[in-house]
Amino acid sequence: MSDLDTGEIRTVEIKYFDGTSRTTEIVDREVPYPDGKLIVSRTDPQGIITHANQAFIDMSGYTEEELIGINHYILRHPDMPAVAFKGLWDTIEQGTKWHGFVKNLRKDGAYYWVKATVIPNIRNGKLVGYTSVRRKPSRSKISESEALYKTLLAEE
Amino acid sequence: MTYNLTVSPDFAPDHISGWYFFNTWLQRQLDTGIHLELYDGFDEQRDDIQNNKFDLIYANPYDASMLVRELGFQAIARPADKSDETVIAVNAESSINTVEDLVPGSRISTTDDPDVHTMGMIMLESADLDKTNTQIKEHPSYVVVAKNLLNGDSDAGFFLKDAYDELSDLIRSKMRVLVSSQISVVHHSFLVGPDMVEHVPALQDALFTMHENDKGRGVLESMGISSWEPMDSEQTEFMIDLIDTLID
């Protein structure tokens, strides 16, 4: 858990790139990433979740039924700048692997940090979706990312 | 025609005879000659695989990726309820209680097992450790990794979980597990090369019913496998994609 957590609850409207938005409660409380686990999910080319492993279900707080069929951006935390996700999509749409540190939003409003890797799934030369694997980040990388994203968010 | 079979060198020594029994069993099932070749190390085996020496391979997930995407192999089966997990262990007397207690300069004992080494290094990332700020010592076997920990010559060691669990009670009692991976979807697989593709239906028939008779069950037991499960191409591709995300 971060030393900076206040437990404060705030209501925010999160706007997504496709023009939709949702209003939800955000809790300033970190859920620690579990040791030894990998969070694995797959999406179709549009970002709709098609597979979620147990670690993903546990950490996100959603059930498997809730996750399958919705857009991966349901996990987007309002503290994450849009430019970070633009970098992700620009990279994977070129067919290359993307690495980055991401603050994810849980169903209960709390958050968890991950080191994420996303790769395009190519079958017979055709893009069929993306695989995202998340692992435990170091505290120093989380601190660097917090500072960077705060600056980027202020510029948006 | 005689085909060639090899097995990823990360199986426990107790199962060597099991693989010879399997080879004999398989020749009878397919009514064809199969030569089994076992290796002590991964590099020598990989060179021979690249030179198209083998038609059947029981491969670790890392090599399965190369076999499918570069050499046209097809994964047809996996051992049931058996995934490849990695353990990071320390000497039981060590003051290190979590991965984050390991500091730059730490001495890490490992083997040339590519999956276990990759996963072990990933689990060190949360301590800001990588190959540039640790002393990596590669050993020929997990027993030697354990000896290094017991002698105080290493601060932490990487083990295939199955291999760790098969160390003697005495050795394990002198070590402590720091972290154990729980990935579940990364596992060994049984692959067939392009020159043996016409035997795939017969191979599938033989493997998937192997546990249903005493003879087959006995062979499986000697290999440390309960039964074989089918693998289709999408399951294989999924595992390969996952492995790709773990390699920088």
Side-chain angles (χ1 to χ4, degrees):
Chain A
M1 187 166 167
S2 168
D3 295 339
L4 302 174
D5 281 355
T6 61
E8 178 200 355
I9 300 173
R10 58 194 163 112
T11 302
V12 295
E13 184 190 26
I14 305 172
K15 291 182 178 164
Y16 302 117
F17 76 92
D18 58 5
T20 61
S21 66
R22 71 174 175 130
T23 301
T24 188
E25 280 191 342
I26 304 295
V27 186
D28 193 25
R29 176 175 61 86
E30 181 174 9
V31 175
Y33 193 102
D35 281 323
K37 293 201 177 180
L38 295 179
I39 295 175
V40 182
S41 58
R42 284 200 291 176
T43 71
D44 69 10
Q46 286 72 45
I48 304 298
I49 298 170
T50 55
H51 169 91
N53 76 342
Q54 192 58 47
F56 186 28
I57 292 162
D58 294 343
M59 281 304 278
S60 69
Y62 291 95
T63 63
E64 186 174 11
E65 292 72 29
E66 287 172 323
L67 287 170
I68 304 299
I70 58 169
N71 198 295
H72 216 282
Y73 63 42
I74 192 77
L75 300 169
R76 183 177 162 188
H77 197 283
D79 291 350
M80 285 296 296
V83 68
F85 294 106
K86 185 177 182 307
L88 185 165
W89 280 101
D90 287 350
T91 305
I92 58 177
E93 281 176 350
Q94 285 169 12
T96 37
K97 194 187 299 187
W98 179 87
H99 288 291
F101 295 89
V102 180
K103 184 176 186 174
N104 279 148
L105 177 62
R106 289 166 49 93
K107 186 183 179 184
D108 63 5
Y111 68 90
Y112 60 100
W113 278 95
V114 298
K115 178 182 179 184
T117 306
V118 185
I119 59 162
N121 305 140
I122 310 294
R123 305 285 184 267
N124 302 316
K126 192 168 169 252
L127 175 77
V128 296
Y130 299 99
T131 296
S132 171
V133 177
R134 281 85 82 191
R135 54 216 221 205
K136 187 177 184 181
S138 70
R139 289 317 308 180
S140 70
K141 295 292 184 194
I142 291 174
S143 299
E144 283 173 23
S145 304
E146 277 176 329
L148 172 67
Y149 295 155
K150 205 172 173 181
T151 309
L152 293 172
L153 208 56
E155 290 169 1
E156 284 181 357
Chain B
M1 178 176 184
T2 298
Y3 295 103
N4 290 297
L5 161 70
T6 191
V7 178
S8 179
D10 51 5
F11 58 86
D14 293 354
H15 298 144
I16 288 180
S17 54
W19 283 103
Y20 281 101
F21 297 150
F22 176 72
N23 189 46
T24 304
W25 176 88
L26 200 56
Q27 291 182 80
R28 289 193 182 133
Q29 298 297 313
L30 300 183
D31 196 21
T32 188
I34 301 172
H35 167 72
L36 170 65
E37 187 149 351
L38 299 178
Y39 291 80
D40 291 331
F42 288 86
D43 288 342
E44 192 192 347
Q45 185 190 48
R46 205 166 291 134
D47 287 346
D48 283 348
I49 289 173
Q50 290 281 7
N51 290 327
N52 295 315
K53 188 169 171 184
F54 294 105
D55 309 290
L56 291 171
I57 304 181
Y58 181 65
N60 64 71
Y62 190 95
D63 286 343
S65 178
M66 174 259 290
L67 288 162
V68 171
R69 295 223 168 137
E70 295 172 29
L71 299 175
F73 274 70
Q74 176 187 350
I76 61 163
R78 59 163 294 189
D81 307 320
K82 203 175 165 78
S83 56
D84 288 9
E85 304 291 355
T86 298
V87 161
I88 301 182
V90 295
N91 187 306
E93 306 293 320
S94 169
S95 59
I96 295 159
N97 292 310
T98 68
V99 168
E100 287 77 13
D101 290 338
L102 288 163
V103 294
S106 290
R107 299 160 303 167
I108 309 296
S109 277
T110 185
T111 60
D112 63 353
D113 188 329
D115 301 300
V116 173
H117 182 72
T118 301
M119 197 54 213
M121 293 307 290
I122 282 172
M123 292 198 290
L124 291 184
E125 287 178 354
S126 60
D128 280 324
L129 297 180
D130 57 35
K131 64 183 177 190
T132 67
N133 62 2
T134 51
Q135 298 177 52
I136 306 289
K137 300 158 66 170
E138 190 178 295
H139 304 295
S141 72
Y142 291 116
V143 173
V144 182
V145 172
K147 278 185 185 160
N148 264 257
L149 293 179
L150 301 192
N151 294 340
D153 293 330
S154 284
D155 301 304
F158 298 162
F159 297 85
L160 180 69
K161 186 171 184 303
D162 277 359
Y164 185 86
D165 291 343
E166 289 182 11
L167 292 170
S168 73
D169 290 347
L170 179 67
I171 292 179
R172 268 187 294 129
S173 71
K174 293 179 176 173
M175 295 192 290
R176 179 159 38 84
V177 172
L178 218 50
V179 61
S180 183
S181 73
Q182 298 169 67
I183 305 170
S184 326
V185 288
V186 173
H187 49 76
H188 279 51
S189 43
F190 192 77
L191 298 108
V192 183
D195 292 343
M196 209 176 166
V197 81
E198 74 269 24
H199 290 280
V200 166
L203 266 167
Q204 288 170 320
D205 279 349
L207 293 175
F208 302 145
T209 55
M210 192 175 176
H211 61 286
E212 292 171 2
N213 59 74
D214 290 344
K215 184 96 181 167
R217 215 165 22 244
V219 173
L220 282 166
E221 207 169 292
S222 64
M223 297 154 72
I225 292 172
S226 59
S227 63
W228 295 101
E229 281 180 354
M231 260 187 97
D232 62 29
S233 65
E234 186 49 38
Q235 285 172 303
T236 310
E237 293 287 351
F238 176 42
M239 187 174 79
I240 294 172
D241 281 337
L242 201 148
I243 299 276
D244 269 0
T245 69
L246 304 179
I247 303 167
D248 285 327

